[in-house]
Amino acid sequence: MEQQQDKIPLFKTWKAWYIFVLVVLVLLITGFYLFTKQFA
C-alpha cells in the first residue's frame, strides 16, 4: 500500500502547524473578549 503524505503549509511539521493554529485561536478569543468587555 502506498502512503501519500499531505503537503504541510508554511511549517515543517504538523505539530508546529497545530500549535500555531491554537495560538491564533487563543489570541482571537482573548481579543474578542477584551473588545466586548470594553464596549459593554
Side-chain angles (χ1 to χ4, degrees):
M1 250 177 140
E2 290 182 16
Q3 195 173 17
Q4 185 179 4
Q5 290 216 346
D6 296 330
K7 288 184 180 180
I8 304 169
L10 299 175
F11 295 96
K12 292 181 180 180
T13 62
W14 279 109
K15 186 178 179 182
W17 177 247
Y18 288 129
I19 290 171
F20 173 73
V21 170
L22 282 173
V23 169
V24 169
L25 287 175
V26 169
L27 288 174
L28 282 174
I29 292 168
T30 306
F32 280 120
Y33 169 75
L34 293 174
F35 183 78
T36 53
K37 186 179 178 183
Q38 183 175 354
F39 290 100

